[in-house]
Amino acid sequence: MIEKLKVKPTNRYRNNAKAIGIGNTFWDNSEHHGLAGIVADLQRGRLYTQEGHSFVNFSCCSYLDLDSHIQVIEGAITALRKFGVLDHCIPRTRVQIPALLELEASLSELFEAQVVSAISASVATSGILPLIASGHLTDDERPLMIFDKNCHVSMQQVKPICADETEIVTCSHHDLDFIEDQCKLYERVCYICDGSDSLGGYAPVKELTQLQECYGLYIYYDDSHSISAYGKRGVGYVRSHIDCLNDHTIITATLNKAFGASGAAILLGDRSRETLRIIERFAGAISYSQPMNIAAIGACLASADIHRTKELHTLQYKLQSKIALFDSLVPTAQAGSTFPIRLVPAADSEVITLGKLLFEAGYYVSPVFFPIVARGTAGLRVMMRTGQTDDDIRGLAQVIINNRLLSEVAK
Ligand SMILES: *Cc1c(COP(=O)(O)O)cnc(C)c1O
C-alpha cells in the first residue's frame, strides 16, 4: 500500500496546536471549578444561577452600563417599529434602507470623523487590514505592516492574510525606535496596535503622530477599550489625542463595550468617495456579510444621543470614582490609571482557586492566563462599572485582602 502524504504546516503567523495545547487545559480547569460555562439571569445588576447562587459581575466590559440604559433599550424598539424590519437582507452596496446611513452620519458627527460601520470590531479589522496590506488605503503603495506584539487577537488573526499581500513583521510593545528605523528603510509603513490595552496602558499617540509628521507613517488603532469611557463625548483615548484625523490614521472601535450597544465604528479621516466605495465593496465581511441590524442601529443612535448630553460626563465621573475606591482598597500596578481594568496578579497555580473563593463570596472576576495575556502574568482581571455599588467594591476588596493576594500585588 502506498503511504499517503501528510501536510506540513508553516505556522508562520499562527499555531493552533500550540495555543490550544496551552490554553485549553486552563479553560478546562476554569470550567471544572465553576469559573467558566456559567449560566445566570441578570436582574437589576446582579446575576442569578439556576442553583440559586447570586453574584456581581466584575469582568463585564460595559463600563458605563449603557447596555441596560432605558433609552438604549427603547432606541432598539423604536427603530424596529419605525423601519418595520430587522434586516432587509441584501448587500448594502446594492440596496439599503436609510437606517445605517443615519447611524453613520450621527457617529461621524459625534467622533468628528468619517465613520463606516461594521457588525463588530473584529469584522472591521478583518476587512480593513487586508486593504491596507494591498496598498488600497495607503496611497497605492503596499506598506510594511508592523504588528505590535501585544495587539488584540482580532488583529493577530489577520496576519496570515496580510502576509499574503505584503510584508509583515511583529515588534515589541510600543517599540517606537523600531518603527522609526523601518520608516527610514521602507517607502511605506503601517503600524497596528491597540489604542488602549486590555490590561491598562495607552498607545503613545503623541510620539506616533510625530513619526507620522516626519515619515508619513500610517497607523491602525483599535481603540475598543476606551471608546465612551474616555474623553469628551466619549470619543476615546486616541481620538482625544489627535486634533484632526488625517488620511494616515484609522481608528476602529467596538460599539459593544462602554458604548453599550452592538456593532463597530471605523473612524476615517477625509477619504475620497472612491476609497469609501472600495471599503464597502471589498473590505471582506464588511461587504459580503450582514450589516448591523435595525435593533442594533436603534440602540446605537440612542447611545450616541446620550453621548451628546451631560449624562455621559456624569457616568464617566462615576466610573472614575468607582475605580478610585477600588484603588484605595487594593493596590495594583495599574492604580491611578483612568482605565477601568485592574490586574490582581496570582501564580498560574493559584489563580483559579482565588477566582473560586471570590465567586463563592458573590463576585465573579475572570482569571486570565496565557495565551489571553503574556506568560507569567496570570491573575484576576477586575473590571469596574458604574453599576457596581460601593458596597460591592468594598466586599470584593475585603475578600481579596483576606486571601492575601496582596503579597503578590505589591510587585
Ligand atoms: C473587545 C475587543 C474587540 C472585539 O470587539 P467586537 O466588536 O466584539 O469584535 C476587538 N478589539 C479590542 C481591542 C477589544 O478589546
Side-chain angles (χ1 to χ4, degrees):
M1 228 178 67
I2 308 162
E3 203 173 325
K4 287 193 178 174
L5 297 174
K6 287 196 179 187
V7 296
K8 290 192 190 78
T10 54
N11 288 133
R12 282 200 300 162
Y13 303 109
R14 56 175 299 128
N15 190 333
N16 271 351
K18 201 167 142 190
I20 294 171
I22 298 163
N24 212 29
T25 312
F26 221 107
W27 277 114
D28 284 344
N29 206 358
S30 294
E31 192 164 331
H32 179 70
H33 288 94
L35 293 175
I38 300 166
V39 180
D41 280 317
L42 184 61
Q43 280 166 33
R44 288 180 303 283
R46 283 189 81 84
L47 287 145
Y48 297 84
T49 66
Q50 287 247 305
E51 295 75 37
H53 183 56
S54 107
F55 61 97
V56 179
N57 193 350
F58 271 89
S59 279
C60 168
C61 301
S62 183
Y63 307 121
L64 304 178
D65 279 290
L66 285 171
D67 58 345
S68 55
H69 193 292
I70 186 68
Q71 272 169 252
V72 174
I73 306 276
E74 289 297 331
I77 297 167
T78 306
L80 277 172
R81 293 232 161 85
K82 175 176 162 189
F83 291 98
V85 64
L86 188 65
D87 172 33
H88 188 59
C89 185
I90 176 172
R92 66 182 300 204
T93 37
R94 299 183 189 278
V95 180
Q96 65 178 319
I97 44 181
L100 210 47
L101 296 171
E102 198 182 309
L103 175 66
E104 287 168 343
S106 169
L107 295 178
S108 296
E109 189 278 329
L110 181 67
F111 297 133
E112 295 178 53
Q114 202 162 24
V115 170
V116 174
S117 64
I119 54 164
S120 70
S122 306
V123 160
T125 291
S126 70
I128 296 291
L129 291 189
L131 284 180
I132 291 177
S134 58
H136 286 90
L137 299 177
T138 53
D139 208 15
D140 293 330
E141 178 94 46
R142 291 163 196 270
L144 169 75
M145 291 178 84
I146 306 178
F147 285 77
D148 193 278
K149 181 169 164 285
N150 292 4
C151 70
H152 189 260
V153 60
S154 54
M155 292 167 268
Q156 311 268 8
Q157 291 273 29
V158 196
K159 279 181 182 178
I161 303 172
C162 294
D164 214 29
E165 295 275 1
T166 190
E167 282 180 43
I168 75 160
V169 56
T170 303
C171 75
S172 47
H173 192 41
H174 296 161
D175 191 343
L176 294 164
D177 290 338
F178 179 84
I179 300 166
E180 181 164 12
D181 286 346
Q182 301 311 308
C183 286
K184 288 175 182 164
L185 282 172
Y186 283 81
E187 180 74 35
R188 288 270 190 292
V189 178
C190 180
Y191 174 53
I192 293 106
C193 71
D194 291 22
S196 35
D197 301 331
S198 65
L199 283 179
Y202 294 109
V205 178
K206 285 253 141 59
E207 292 81 354
L208 286 165
T209 304
Q210 275 167 11
L211 290 179
Q212 291 190 299
E213 283 159 9
C214 273
Y215 303 100
L217 171 69
Y218 283 83
I219 306 176
Y220 182 86
Y221 290 108
D222 179 342
D223 211 8
S224 289
H225 263 300
S226 84
I227 209 88
S228 306
Y230 190 101
K232 203 170 155 218
R233 304 210 300 175
V235 298
Y237 183 84
V238 177
R239 187 68 194 87
S240 294
H241 289 83
I242 293 173
D243 293 337
C244 181
L245 202 59
N246 60 33
D247 64 1
H248 279 51
T249 308
I250 298 176
I251 305 169
T252 288
T254 185
L255 300 174
N256 184 235
K257 288 187 171 142
F259 197 84
S262 179
I266 304 163
L267 280 56
L268 304 161
D270 236 350
R271 292 282 190 161
S272 67
R273 195 186 144 82
E274 290 73 46
T275 304
L276 293 173
R277 285 285 181 263
I278 294 283
I279 292 174
E280 261 183 48
R281 294 171 184 166
F282 299 100
I286 290 177
S287 61
Y288 63 71
S289 186
Q290 59 186 295
M292 287 173 65
N293 67 51
I294 298 295
I297 293 171
C300 283
L301 282 167
S303 177
D305 281 345
I306 296 170
H307 281 65
R308 294 183 175 91
T309 66
K310 271 201 232 121
E311 187 179 354
L312 189 87
H313 180 75
T314 308
L315 288 172
Q316 286 180 335
Y317 188 81
K318 195 168 170 192
L319 177 63
Q320 291 307 318
S321 75
K322 303 284 175 198
I323 297 171
L325 175 61
F326 182 81
D327 281 350
S328 73
L329 300 166
V330 183
T332 60
Q334 296 82 28
S337 157
T338 51
F339 201 70
I341 303 181
R342 298 290 181 264
L343 183 75
V344 176
D348 280 4
S349 56
E350 288 175 2
V351 67
I352 301 256
T353 317
L354 296 167
K356 200 175 164 190
L357 271 169
L358 284 167
F359 187 60
E360 282 161 4
Y363 309 101
Y364 178 79
V365 185
S366 44
V368 292
F369 39 83
F370 182 81
I372 299 172
V373 292
R375 260 182 235 271
T377 57
L380 296 168
R381 184 154 68 184
V382 180
M383 303 165 91
M384 314 305 297
R385 279 184 295 120
T386 53
Q388 291 152 348
T389 67
D390 289 357
D391 281 347
D392 293 335
I393 296 167
R394 288 203 184 89
L396 171 85
Q398 197 60 52
V399 184
I400 292 176
I401 290 161
N402 287 350
N403 289 285
R404 307 182 65 78
L405 293 183
L406 290 180
S407 55
E408 277 278 341
V409 171
K411 68 182 180 189

